[in-house]
Amino acid sequence: MRKIPGFFVVMVGFLLPVAKAHEGAGPDSKLIDTLWTAYDPASTDVVDHSIWTGLLSRHLVEGEDGVNRFRYSALTGMEKGLLNDYVYQLEAVDVTDLNRAEQMAYWINLYNAVTVKVVAEHYPVKSIRNVLSGGLFS
């Protein structure tokens, strides 16, 4: 089965609503079908999210308003390297070999890790919208 780069998958996730609004202008529908519908219900494969879990345990803080926030300012260079390693590790996973529950954890963690990675690469920024504005989402 073909491996699908994680960052591409995240971008497809961002672009899917736009693609549906502009029929024929989006990603290949067969690829989207593979990404969102193919899975192995008998799979016992488990994706290792320990790097991500460690980063969250060190940098995720609950605000007084009850909203969790990531402390980008405290992220070290070594931890940025670990985050990159984690995203590359996820890119190597063949998601169609996973069961539904493991796929859900995969997609949620990949989306969040890439979001943190993008903001960390441009930190300090007020919002990820500032990073993405003027590009694909303008």
Side-chain angles (χ1 to χ4, degrees):
M1 188 67 60
R2 175 176 65 184
K3 301 255 190 261
I4 300 164
F7 185 74
F8 174 76
V9 170
V10 171
M11 294 313 297
V12 168
F14 278 126
L15 296 175
L16 189 56
V18 175
K20 287 191 181 266
H22 299 85
E23 288 298 321
D28 180 351
S29 65
K30 289 180 184 174
L31 177 59
I32 292 171
D33 286 344
T34 299
L35 295 175
W36 308 119
T37 62
Y39 69 102
D40 180 355
S43 175
T44 58
D45 292 354
V46 176
V47 178
D48 180 7
H49 297 288
S50 59
I51 293 173
W52 182 236
T53 301
L55 290 170
L56 291 177
S57 71
R58 288 188 297 280
H59 297 290
L60 198 63
V61 294
E62 185 176 350
E64 292 179 15
D65 57 2
V67 175
N68 290 326
R69 292 180 176 82
F70 193 89
R71 294 180 310 141
Y72 294 96
S73 62
L75 198 62
T76 68
M78 184 183 83
E79 289 172 322
K80 288 179 185 178
L82 287 173
L83 181 57
N84 285 332
D85 291 347
Y86 175 65
V87 170
Y88 291 134
Q89 170 190 323
L90 291 183
E91 288 176 352
V93 172
D94 185 344
V95 294
T96 61
D97 288 343
L98 302 174
N99 64 44
R100 279 282 190 230
E102 198 62 28
Q103 277 185 345
M104 182 178 286
Y106 172 91
W107 293 122
I108 291 169
N109 287 320
L110 176 64
Y111 174 85
N112 288 327
V114 170
T115 301
V116 167
K117 182 178 181 299
V118 168
V119 172
E121 288 170 351
H122 294 89
Y123 189 81
V125 293
K126 187 172 183 173
S127 165
I128 192 169
R129 291 184 180 127
N130 297 73
V131 174
L132 301 175
S133 66
L136 292 171
F137 307 102
S138 61

